[in-house]
Amino acid sequence: MKLLRTLILRPLRRDLLRTALTVLSVALGVAVVVAIDLAGDAATGSFRSSMQTLVGRTDLEIVANGGVDERVMGTLTGLPVDAKFAPILEAQAVIPGVGAVPLYGADLLGESRILLSKPLAERVRGNRISFNLNGRGVSYTAGPKVDGTGDFLVLDIAEAQRALGRFGKLDRIDVTVSPGEDFAKVDRAVRAVLPAGYLLNRPGTRSEENQRMLRAFRWNLRVLSYISLVVGAFLIYNTISISVVRRRAEIGILRAVGAARLTVLALFLAEAALLGVVGGALGVALGRVLAEATVGLIAGTVNALYTTSRPAAIALGSTEAMGGILTGALVSLGSAFAPAREAMRVAPTEAMSRGAREHHASLRWKRGLAGAFVLAGMAWAAAQVDPLGGYPVGGYAAALFAIGASALAAPTLVLAVNRATRVATRRRAESLLAGRSLTASLARSSVVVAALATAIAMMASVGIMVGSFRETVTVWLDSQLRADLYVRPAAPSAAGEYPPLPRGIESVLESVPGVEAVDLFHGVPFHYHGERATLGGGRIEIVRRYGRLRFLPGENRDAILRSLPGADRVIASEPFANRHHLRAGDRIVVPIGARNVSVTIAGIYYDYSSSQGYLVMDRATLLRYLPDQPATNAAIYLSRGADAQRTARELELRTAGYGVTVAPNRTLRRTAIEIFDRTFAITWALEAVAIVVAMLGAANSLLALVLDRRRELGLLRYLGASAAQVRGMILTEAAFLGLLAMLLGLALGFALSLVLIFVVNRQSFGWTIQFHPPVALLAGAMGLVWCVTVLAGLYPARVAAALRPVDVIHEE
Amino acid sequence: MPQPRLELRRVSKSYSDGAQPVEVLHGISLAAEAGTITALLGRSGCGKTTLLNLAGAMDFPSEGEVLIDGRATAALSDAELTALRRTRIGFVFQFFQLLPTLTVLENVELPLLLAGARNSAATARDRLRWVGLEEKASGLPYQLSGGQQQRVAIARALVHSPDLLIADEPTGNLDTAGGDQVLALLRDAATRFGATILMATHSAEAAAIADVRVSLRDGRIQSLERR
Ligand SMILES: Nc1ncnc2c1ncn2[C@@H]1O[C@H](COP(=O)(O)OP(=O)(O)OP(=O)(O)O)[C@@H](O)[C@H]1O
Ligand SMILES: [Mg+2]
């Protein structure tokens, strides 16, 4: 205990600034992980139907792709079982000043007023409430308030059907089995009378579907959040290494007076654990704050890409808090193990001079390089592995191996670049000294280079991935969005929801002069093997003639599309096919409406609009199974020579009052790219934190380098160096470190981007991204990072220049 | 009479260590002429190193003044002090103070590099030859013996042909043979380069080569003898 105080705590206190920097880097790493976890939970954890409190316990739910026919209700209530059947409709109401709020249709025994949940009632005053439903303004008298969590509205089922224009349709039927009744009997009886295509699910299935849908998204976010932690780990390694190097003599003396090896090991591990726990605790607190800031970003992405969710309150439980602290401690201990073991091996008669020791250390690069090659090989092998339980485990492993490989290659790089620039650097005292000092403390400088490189690589790889993805999506939008104008309901709608176009609009659209063809599309949210997807019906003949759908290599677009009309044949989007392991020619059974339909996959086309995927058939085929299914959007092709602007204006005039918007191709593309950019905002935020952590590390290490060489720096002043030269030397070291880190980081980033694009993304989301590195963006980012590294050297440089030579010259 | 290169006028130095200041040097007056060797003698802690730092313009007196070529060091700006060190002053230390990461030649060359001088490598090689270690030019300091390291340090201290050489116990860490070589070099430096040498020492051998011997005791000059 006394040892701990004198050998560990006192130095930590003496170097308060450096200790603070180390703790802060751990704290930031932990904070990001905690924040992403908390914000992710809050942003996605609120799918649970807020209705549950209203209808009470539900044992089963009946759903059907394309909607449940309300006549089933009659059959069900006639069953000789003791159970309650509740018909439910669900929609989104947009209340001015409040936003989108779920609206439920339920059996309220003909109540004509609208019920508000208590929380909502507090925000909406007055006894009449007006809102938008499917793009149309409606207004109701407010009825009694109902219990329930969150905001929602309830209408009587008949009124809801009328308001939504969904006569005879239900979204689901909730089944509640009475206490005394046999559950299995009810299940059997209900199944027996349900049409073949109907699904009888346990409640919670939807929430599970939601979680499964978001699984890949959340995992990738989580893994990204570990970057800062990895960078932090390098810095702990660095800090402990420094403290071992500095206290070598003390350790030698300790061993000489009889301290056991394990005592020495324990001492340094205790130092790491201390830094980790303090950093972890600080990180949890910081993470809680960061979570507030990120929850909106994550919820935005989820809403844009997946499904409606309303962010819940952020809940920091003791499990999360302990988890964060433990993470900090474990990462610290793990990364301190190697230097602590080195301390353990210090001989009692340790008397090697620094020059000799460093000379020996620099001979170790060969071993590192060999290790780097082995790890690179392992990374390559891991990248070939198939996903494990739906997770791209091999991809993550490959990324870790690649980071390890680059860390091991760092010493070689430092030496090689130094050798290569030897002649140039030798001409100026600053660069000569800077270069030598980096190679002399090779072990330490390579860790800084590796840490910085990892952060840079993460940034570069994600940059390359996002850039490539963006370019792929842009190219795809160009080929996909061939129509000149798009018509869809004016109501805002969430991803995965398809508000209907008003009936009869088709003839209106076709009557406008200049319109050559109208492709009506019917989107139907659809459940398939426990996953959510979209079933679509389009005018395939028009798609074939005017569209540019791209299919997987080797598939014949024309032949595929020709084979669809009049047959139970579908085309699947690439993510759908990958998610369900389907290939062209496969036959699958799809529940549509009342029936189980066996369809053949005619082809697989590229699509980047949904990672859940599409299954598209000819419109006529779809309408055969779902007769009243309304169209959800329309694509309009103009005749050659038609004035797009004039036609659009004419379309708008004629559809006025239908509650639709007419958007030109260009607008749609822009919106799509905007959504794309918004969804990656969080990614960039995470990158920024990783870079900040790396910068703290650079400053920390340079400061250590300065403090360790005080005597040398003082000597330089005796030999005629000006304060500016000393400062310049430290800044040159910073610049050198930044340059090396950039070289290594770019190489690693390139490798990681391949893993991200071709392994992680493919296995998580199922789409093929073309490789398009955004060169200008990368160059800019690298320049910025380099500048920041040099900035990180400013404070250490000032400390170095301010040393009093007479005071430090006799220190050792 | 030529003006002395280095002159100390009633110099006092005190360190404010803790509460009350401790006076280490009391009213020292001393002058050293060009080409002479002055040895500072005295017990450990009597203020030799302190005096050398004042003489080399690395530190400044609390009272009195240190004049180099008639100019008070305390009145010089940082830039002037740096220029002074680059052109006029060389230092030799008890523990050699070579930079472990630079080669022997680079160590010698360093003051010239810092001053941005031309032909630095050739001059450095010249000095290395003078101290008899040219063949070690590309070696690293830790590969040399203590005596050899000190000779390299002397080559470094004289590489820019300074007028004033400050040596703090240059033989303090060497055996007799190594010490003799170092002393021979210092003597040679004074006669051949005309350097004014101020040297702190404990050794009689070192004192023996000096033109002037100054004994310090408790921060005061106890005796001063000329040869
Ligand atoms: N920075 C300082 N702060 C306070 N006191 C100091 C400082 N530097 C030196 N001293 C004190 O000044 C006195 C003279 O020190 P100095 O180093 O000049 O002695 P010295 O004669 O060189 O001794 P030695 O022969 O052991 O090298 C000593 O008592 C020392 O404790
Ligand atoms: Mg001394």
Side-chain angles (χ1 to χ4, degrees), chain A residues 807, chain B residues 15 17 24 43-50 169 202:
Chain A
D807 290 343
Chain B
Y15 291 108
D17 205 23
V24 176
R43 278 204 207 121
S44 178
C46 68
K48 301 184 294 293
T49 299
T50 306
E169 300 185 32
H202 284 291

Side-chain angles (χ1 to χ4, degrees), chain A residues 575-654:
Chain A
F576 187 89
N578 281 334
R579 198 166 273 260
H580 300 286
H581 310 285
L582 300 175
R583 266 186 279 176
D586 287 354
R587 278 179 82 80
I588 54 172
V589 175
V590 189
I592 307 176
R595 274 192 269 171
N596 274 322
V597 182
S598 169
V599 297
T600 305
I601 311 248
I604 292 162
Y605 68 99
Y606 288 109
D607 177 278
Y608 299 94
S609 60
S610 154
S611 65
Q612 295 301 299
Y614 287 95
L615 213 51
V616 178
M617 47 179 55
D618 189 49
R619 178 173 178 247
T621 316
L622 183 79
L623 289 179
R624 195 145 44 82
Y625 298 112
L626 296 172
D628 292 323
Q629 195 62 34
T632 51
N633 53 63
I636 294 173
Y637 298 89
L638 301 185
S639 19
R640 201 168 309 163
D643 181 339
Q645 252 179 353
R646 188 130 48 95
T647 317
R649 224 172 307 129
E650 185 65 26
L651 270 168
E652 270 165 9
L653 273 177
R654 296 206 192 179

